[in-house]
Amino acid sequence: MSTTTATPATKEPQGTNGKKVVELREAAVRLAGDSGDGMQLVGTQLTNTSAIFGNDISTFPDFPAEIRAPAGTLAGVSGFQIHFSSEDIQTPGDKVDALIAMNPAALKVNIRDVEVGGIVIINEDAFTKSDLAKAHYESNPLEDGSLDRYRVVRIPLSRLTADALKETGLGAKAIDRCKNFFALGIVYWMYDRPMEPTLKWIADKFGKNPAVSEANARALKSGYYFGETAELFPVSYRVAKAKIPPGRYRKITGNEATAIGLVTASCKCSKTLFYGTYPITPASDVLHQLSRYKNYDVRTFQAEDEIAAITSAIGASFAGAIGVTASAGPGIALKTEALGLAVMTELPLVIINVQRGGPSTGLPTKTEQSDLWQAVHGRNGDTPIPVLAAATPGDCFHMAYEAVRLAIRYMTPVLVLTDGYLANGAEPWRIPDPDSLPAIEVSHPNKPNDEKGYMPYKRDDHLVRPWAIPGTAGLEHRIGGLEKQDVSGNVSYDAANHHHMTMVRLNKVLGMARDFPKLEVDGPAQGDLLVVGWGGTYGSINMAVRHMREKGHKVAHVHLRYLYPFQKELGTTLRGYRKVLVPELNTGQLRQLLRGEFLVDAVGYNKIQGKPFLISELEQVMTGLLSEK
Amino acid sequence: MAQTGTTPLLTPKDFASDQEIRWCPGCGDYSILAQVKKVLPTLGVSREKVVFVSGIGCSSRFPYYMNTYGFHGIHGRAPGIATGISAVNPELQVWVATGDGDGLSIGGNHLLHAIRRNVNIKILLFNNRIYGLTKGQYSPTSELGKKTKSSPYGTIDYPLHPLSVAIGAEATFVARTIDVDVKHLGMVLERAARHKGTAFVEIYQDCNVFNHDAFAYATDKDVKLDNVVYLEHGKPLVFGKNREKGIRLNNMTPEVVSLGGDIKEDDLIFQDERSDNPALAFLLSRMHYPEYPEPVGVFRAVQRPTFEDRLIEQINTAVQKQGRGRIEDLFDDGETWVVE
Ligand code: SF4
């Protein structure tokens, strides 16, 4: 075992065992291994523990598209990054402070993200010749000096785990499977994390299998004590509790938040939630979550395809439930025709697109924001659909809830964009008071609304038609995808009527802006630069803009959660700054919408790498722009 | 016009909407519409509880002509819409009107899956073996070699047999009937309506404009009794003008035989629509004119819990065990902590 040390020069109190304890403001740790090594699992444990401990957290799981790529290969590397801090943070961290690499492939894929001088903990048992070959290493990085810039700690993780667990009576394979908890134990010691939450979790999870439960618990403790006793660590670190607004918190991922947002909305208006969907990465977890809520009268329907998923949801809405469907870009493409039907029949419907890298099958497990045009424009005919986008994992709750509210109030399909980064990323979420959520009012007529009988397309002053549902005597009526005659809803091919109905459908949706909250501007109301973002880039943009302001620049941030129509104040706001920058994880889709709508000379910063923005790169772009005349 | 509740005095007229019917003169759809309107008042279901759902095609105009709730959907997708309706309100009686193109071509996938789930919907597949609304292209049930607008040299696609498809998809109720055979049509519609679970009915329907007389062999007075065999549960398969012919099984192959002499009715195939084994129903679905008389009537009628039954059962059990869900419990899922 060899160690290259470069202890950071911060204040260094003595720990109880004589070692130094270094206070850090924050730390970004990445656990990486083979997809079978259980990295997502221990990553989640580190996240929960840090959240309960009181840090602010942000995570970024990164897993391979192949479920079981051959063990030890580059394609099979699975990683989980967690950023915990004593201050308010919003991203998983630009650079990794400590990498735990369970094999050469994990090292190779992840080393470039590690801060120079950062810690790299390596399972040296996995660095045999054949392991190195599988990762396409020509020489052993532990020996060829290529890791000299890092503080490398080599640990025979497999062997130590085997030694620690040899009395458990488990087989060698089962024992080796516990090495992730040994590694986690080391991390817990390094960052002074309490073990109790994970020990409790292990007991709950493996309670039925005492041998496995005991082995995992022992592996965790052994790793922790190893860190404490072994000579190879000269220091350990401490990240104090963060000062976050008071309240009750839980950890939440975007997909979890989406699911409970929908269910909360259905509870608020006492309606059945019908969720028609077809499994697709990265949206499937919403289905998994919702399928557990049978006692909330949530009816999940795993349809035969994306089209049946949305048409069943439309049918459910027609029959008086809250119809919801979700997918990722390719699945949304398949739903397109039915979206038109929902517009024509003017039924409430919520469609969630958990975006991923495109086009076509693209990068299923990577994040991207390239479905904005699809959401706003991607249909035949003049087919306006309001589009919302969540900004953070926790915001998925609010946007899902808002989508249900708007869909019912305006009898329209509503599209919600989230993305793979939000869907799988986690953050602490302040649990809202259910009574503080806006009311969702539903009314179903029970008598004819006209002397000639029930008129399904007779509208209120917001141009909204009534929602009469099957089972209501006297209101029998027919709807469908053919153009409707105004008021009566009968099929009509009349030219003037078609023009009128097209404009009514458009004006109804445009009018929804009256119901949107006021646009929030973070920073000065006027200045040199306005950065306009949307979706999952909120955290990076917001941090970068704050840093720029700390440096004395007049920079503001607007993050759009309403993308169609835009909030009323947006046009004026855009004109208050010398320059407008639109960073997006696509080729410039929002930028083009803004230019088209407001004739503003917005410039873009675009990255299409399946990865979120780094705070530092955004700062660089802003610095460049501000220095231009 | 408000018709409330369960008064049994409804007449076919009560089920007619005020919309002008736009099918071509002589189209078989008229007869089907008339029989549906006739059967509905006999079922004791009030009008507001009935929903007709359709896709695209001539047959899919059906909902507009019924004074019930109706949904004219998009091409092939009626089973999806119908499933959503029935899943959230199993009290409704949901019908799907579809055709050979809508149901078996563009919507084939949905048809299969609605059937195998045993969703409580009644599917009427109007089979005219042609595309009518798009003016005369061949359909998935057009005979091999058929010359149409889109197959001037004859089709090279082998046709699908709707009932074989339905039986293969685990249908619990499968029947065939003919547009002009109004009594039989009425009987089959009524049985379909009363079936719990997916009822699949193929109706031979004459497209008067683009495929007239496609089913003349089964409707023409002079020949139909020789070309059609009426299925009745527990009865032997006898047919012919003088009921002088029958179908018996020779190994696995049906065989047309003349009755009298050595061959008695007892030697023939006996229809057993309630058999759990779908083999006989499938075998019957493979009998085609001109090799055989084509069976009409109920091929299969078995009981199995419906999709809706199981869905509601899961919900009720969950509510019983966990109590009715509350928002607070949703939020508190997993670990929570308090920041002061
Ligand atoms: S085209 Fe054929 S099926 Fe369609 S309405 Fe006319 S006759 Fe009937």
Side-chain angles (χ1 to χ4, degrees):
Chain A
M1 281 177 245
S2 75
T3 319
T4 39
T5 51
T7 322
T10 16
K11 63 174 171 160
E12 295 174 359
Q14 295 288 301
T16 43
N17 55 359
K19 280 190 185 145
K20 290 170 198 150
V21 177
V22 180
E23 285 282 344
L24 298 176
R25 197 162 77 158
E26 59 191 332
V29 177
R30 188 181 297 176
L31 299 140
D34 203 63
S35 49
D37 281 342
M39 291 296 104
Q40 303 298 324
L41 190 125
V42 289
T44 306
Q45 283 306 307
L46 179 55
T47 309
N48 292 352
T49 297
S50 302
I52 295 166
F53 176 73
N55 293 137
D56 198 5
I57 53 157
S58 175
T59 70
F60 182 54
D62 184 19
F63 35 77
E66 282 72 30
I67 303 299
R68 281 280 175 263
T73 59
L74 297 169
V77 173
S78 167
F80 191 100
Q81 181 163 327
I82 150 157
H83 190 191
F84 46 93
S85 170
S86 57
E87 289 176 8
D88 175 17
I89 47 163
Q90 284 157 354
T91 75
D94 278 11
K95 282 281 178 187
V96 174
D97 299 308
L99 169 70
I100 290 75
M102 302 297 277
N103 65 17
L107 178 68
K108 187 162 199 179
V109 170
N110 292 292
I111 189 70
R112 63 180 96 100
D113 295 332
V114 179
E115 191 81 73
V116 171
I119 298 171
V120 179
I121 296 178
I122 276 168
N123 175 20
E124 66 174 4
D125 290 336
F127 277 67
T128 64
K129 258 208 175 120
S130 77
D131 293 323
L132 290 166
K134 274 188 234 158
H136 304 299
Y137 268 120
E138 273 154 27
S139 64
N140 188 343
L142 302 182
E143 285 153 11
D144 64 9
S146 59
L147 301 178
D148 282 354
R149 291 183 295 158
Y150 308 100
R151 285 181 284 156
V152 177
V153 183
R154 298 168 57 168
I155 302 175
L157 268 176
S158 308
R159 186 163 59 75
L160 291 176
T161 307
D163 287 349
L165 302 186
K166 62 172 175 275
E167 258 124 61
T168 55
L170 291 181
K173 260 211 175 131
I175 285 180
D176 194 57
R177 240 178 265 141
C178 299
K179 64 177 183 295
N180 56 340
F181 277 103
F182 193 98
L184 184 67
I186 297 176
V187 175
Y188 277 16
W189 175 78
M190 263 173 58
Y191 289 102
D192 196 26
R193 316 267 92 186
M195 282 193 282
E196 287 68 33
T198 299
L199 290 172
K200 184 174 169 287
W201 180 86
I202 291 173
D204 288 350
K205 171 91 185 174
F206 301 111
K208 284 202 192 95
N209 195 337
V212 173
S213 172
E214 171 58 26
N216 281 313
R218 197 182 290 186
L220 179 75
K221 290 187 206 162
S222 306
Y224 192 95
Y225 301 141
F226 171 77
E228 201 167 69
T229 6
E231 293 289 303
L232 70 168
F233 290 113
V235 287
S236 70
Y237 301 97
R238 194 171 286 156
V239 177
K241 295 181 187 194
K243 275 183 235 65
I244 32 188
R248 216 153 47 81
Y249 280 79
R250 63 173 280 187
K251 188 203 67 169
I252 206 159
T253 66
N255 275 345
E256 283 168 352
T258 300
I260 67 172
L262 294 171
V263 182
T264 304
S266 77
C267 290
K268 268 283 200 177
C269 60
S270 310
K271 282 223 152 276
T272 296
L273 180 72
F274 178 92
Y275 186 74
T277 190
Y278 185 79
I280 185 168
T281 303
S284 305
D285 279 341
V286 180
L287 168 62
H288 304 158
Q289 178 101 0
L290 287 174
S291 62
R292 287 171 30 209
Y293 294 137
K294 291 273 179 305
N295 63 324
Y296 289 82
D297 195 18
V298 173
R299 305 188 186 189
T300 53
F301 175 58
Q302 185 177 313
E304 58 273 18
D305 61 22
E306 297 283 1
I307 297 168
I310 184 170
T311 50
S312 61
I314 292 173
S317 287
F318 176 61
I322 299 174
V324 181
T325 187
S327 191
I332 300 292
L334 284 165
K335 296 182 196 291
T336 304
E337 187 196 10
L339 284 175
L341 180 66
V343 168
M344 205 65 161
T345 53
E346 301 190 46
L347 286 168
L349 180 76
V350 173
I351 310 97
I352 294 156
N353 179 354
V354 187
Q355 299 167 95
R356 64 189 216 185
S360 188
T361 313
L363 301 171
T365 60
K366 308 293 177 204
T367 197
E368 206 165 279
Q369 303 184 290
S370 48
D371 296 344
L372 179 58
W373 284 347
Q374 180 195 41
V376 176
H377 298 311
R379 288 166 291 280
N380 63 307
D382 276 308
T383 317
I385 296 183
V387 180
L388 316 181
T392 66
D395 193 39
C396 293
F397 171 88
H398 297 283
M399 291 331 258
Y401 186 93
E402 175 75 339
V404 174
R405 184 183 76 84
L406 291 171
I408 291 177
R409 174 62 190 95
Y410 286 91
M411 292 291 284
T412 176
V414 177
L415 256 157
V416 181
L417 298 173
T418 71
D419 60 48
Y421 172 75
L422 295 176
N424 294 314
E427 65 176 4
W429 181 60
R430 187 150 60 127
I431 297 173
D433 170 7
D435 296 333
S436 70
L437 298 166
I440 299 179
E441 273 150 33
V442 182
S443 80
H444 297 301
N446 54 21
K447 51 179 194 298
N449 56 352
D450 191 278
E451 56 205 28
K452 280 183 264 153
Y454 176 61
M455 296 288 133
Y457 282 76
K458 189 167 170 177
R459 298 163 190 280
D460 71 8
D461 50 0
H462 286 5
L463 303 176
V464 181
R465 78 175 193 88
W467 189 11
I469 57 175
T472 318
L475 306 190
E476 294 84 0
H477 65 282
R478 277 68 52 194
I479 58 172
L482 288 170
E483 181 61 285
K484 301 279 163 288
Q485 187 180 60
D486 196 14
V487 184
S488 78
N490 290 330
V491 173
S492 165
Y493 300 121
D494 181 80
N497 177 72
H498 177 54
H499 183 94
H500 172 73
M501 291 297 274
T502 301
M503 294 317 292
V504 166
R505 284 186 289 264
L506 176 65
N507 288 329
K508 176 177 87 168
V509 170
L510 293 179
M512 290 171 70
R514 77 168 77 79
D515 222 346
F516 295 168
K518 208 169 158 257
L519 184 72
E520 279 176 41
V521 181
D522 177 49
Q526 274 165 6
D528 293 323
L529 177 64
L530 178 70
V531 186
V532 186
W534 68 279
T537 54
Y538 172 79
S540 338
I541 296 177
N542 198 257
M543 294 302 279
V545 168
R546 266 196 250 170
H547 292 173
M548 293 301 285
R549 275 206 303 271
E550 279 164 22
K551 289 182 208 159
H553 298 289
K554 283 180 142 178
V555 183
H557 176 202
V558 157
H559 212 75
L560 299 179
R561 295 156 81 225
Y562 297 82
L563 291 157
Y564 188 84
F566 291 123
Q567 281 143 297
K568 293 195 299 272
E569 305 80 11
L570 183 58
T572 338
T573 306
L574 288 169
R575 280 179 207 104
Y577 302 83
R578 202 159 57 82
K579 288 195 168 151
V580 175
L581 169 68
V582 187
E584 292 177 89
L585 302 175
N586 61 40
T587 55
Q589 300 190 6
L590 175 63
R591 176 169 36 112
Q592 183 139 328
L593 294 182
L594 293 176
R595 293 177 78 113
E597 179 88 16
F598 301 108
L599 295 175
V600 57
D601 186 19
V603 295
Y605 175 66
N606 304 88
K607 169 162 137 176
I608 311 104
Q609 301 176 2
K611 282 184 178 174
F613 287 124
L614 301 178
I615 297 167
S616 53
E617 70 185 305
L618 293 176
E619 285 180 54
Q620 259 174 32
V621 174
M622 286 185 249
T623 310
L625 262 181
L626 287 166
S627 66
E628 287 169 19
K629 292 245 177 72
Chain B
M1 73 172 254
Q3 173 75 49
T4 40
T6 46
T7 152
L9 300 171
L10 293 175
T11 64
K13 255 190 155 161
D14 292 314
F15 283 93
S17 77
D18 58 359
Q19 296 299 294
E20 221 171 276
I21 302 181
R22 297 189 179 198
W23 287 316
C24 308
C27 175
D29 292 356
Y30 284 98
S31 161
I32 303 171
L33 179 64
Q35 287 313 306
V36 169
K37 282 190 210 156
K38 214 161 154 189
V39 166
L40 282 176
T42 70
L43 298 172
V45 181
S46 49
R47 200 173 53 187
E48 70 273 12
K49 293 256 167 76
V50 179
V51 185
F52 276 86
V53 185
S54 65
I56 297 290
C58 294
S59 58
S60 288
R61 297 299 178 92
F62 205 91
Y64 289 122
Y65 306 138
M66 298 293 301
N67 189 14
T68 63
Y69 283 91
F71 202 130
H72 179 210
I74 43 177
H75 208 2
R77 319 306 176 196
I81 298 170
T83 300
I85 294 172
S86 196
V88 299
N89 188 355
E91 304 280 288
L92 301 172
Q93 187 184 70
V94 183
W95 296 76
V96 168
T98 183
D100 38 324
D102 188 64
L104 291 168
S105 195
I106 195 165
N109 194 27
H110 309 305
L111 191 80
L112 284 184
H113 289 274
I115 292 175
R116 66 122 172 146
R117 292 187 183 106
N118 203 28
V119 182
N120 191 19
I121 56 179
K122 319 300 149 208
I123 303 173
L124 308 180
L125 186 137
F126 299 20
N127 184 5
N128 55 20
R129 293 191 175 151
I130 199 78
Y131 281 3
L133 194 70
T134 50
K135 302 195 168 44
Q137 301 83 359
Y138 59 95
S139 92
T141 56
S142 296
E143 358 20 309
L144 180 71
K146 187 180 187 70
K147 290 200 167 117
T148 71
K149 242 187 223 165
S150 57
S151 59
Y153 300 101
T155 67
I156 56 172
D157 297 4
Y158 297 104
L160 271 179
H161 303 295
L163 297 190
S164 301
V165 172
I167 295 164
E170 309 295 332
T172 51
F173 183 94
V174 180
R176 178 190 285 143
T177 184
I178 302 171
D179 55 2
V180 290
D181 202 343
V182 289
K183 255 186 141 167
H184 189 262
L185 173 60
M187 180 276 290
V188 167
L189 288 173
E190 181 173 345
R191 285 208 51 195
R194 294 190 190 280
H195 177 74
K196 247 191 132 246
T198 308
F200 181 84
V201 181
E202 177 189 22
I203 306 173
Y204 285 170
Q205 176 246 322
D206 188 50
C207 172
N208 194 30
V209 174
F210 296 107
N211 203 16
H212 183 47
D213 276 349
F215 299 104
Y217 64 89
T219 54
D220 192 304
K221 260 205 273 19
D222 297 334
V223 294
K224 75 173 190 188
L225 291 177
D226 287 323
N227 295 336
V228 163
V229 50
Y230 287 90
L231 300 175
E232 277 179 86
H233 180 67
K235 301 268 175 69
L237 269 65
V238 177
F239 70 104
K241 276 189 204 83
N242 306 307
R243 297 184 59 78
E244 74 285 12
K245 289 180 277 191
I247 312 285
R248 84 176 169 189
L249 208 52
N250 183 356
N251 286 321
M252 288 298 285
T253 310
E255 184 179 45
V256 175
V257 291
S258 299
L259 291 169
D262 281 355
I263 304 176
K264 312 245 160 7
E265 284 199 355
D266 274 357
D267 299 322
L268 303 181
I269 298 175
F270 279 68
Q271 165 60 340
D272 179 7
E273 64 187 34
R274 293 172 209 158
S275 169
D276 208 40
N277 183 339
L280 175 62
F282 188 77
L283 182 128
L284 296 175
S285 80
R286 310 300 298 169
M287 287 170 53
H288 298 297
Y289 174 82
E291 291 79 25
Y292 297 104
E294 290 187 348
V296 296
V298 178
F299 285 57
R300 181 169 166 77
V302 295
Q303 286 305 319
R304 204 186 265 180
T306 64
F307 175 78
E308 296 86 340
D309 288 342
R310 293 195 192 276
L311 180 70
I312 300 302
E313 189 191 300
Q314 283 194 345
I315 289 169
N316 290 343
T317 313
V319 171
Q320 251 168 35
K321 277 201 187 138
Q322 298 156 260
R324 184 80 196 182
R326 300 171 333 132
I327 297 180
E328 290 78 5
D329 302 330
L330 265 183
F331 292 171
D332 276 10
D333 204 8
E335 276 179 280
T336 63
W337 64 95
V338 174
V339 174
E340 294 178 350

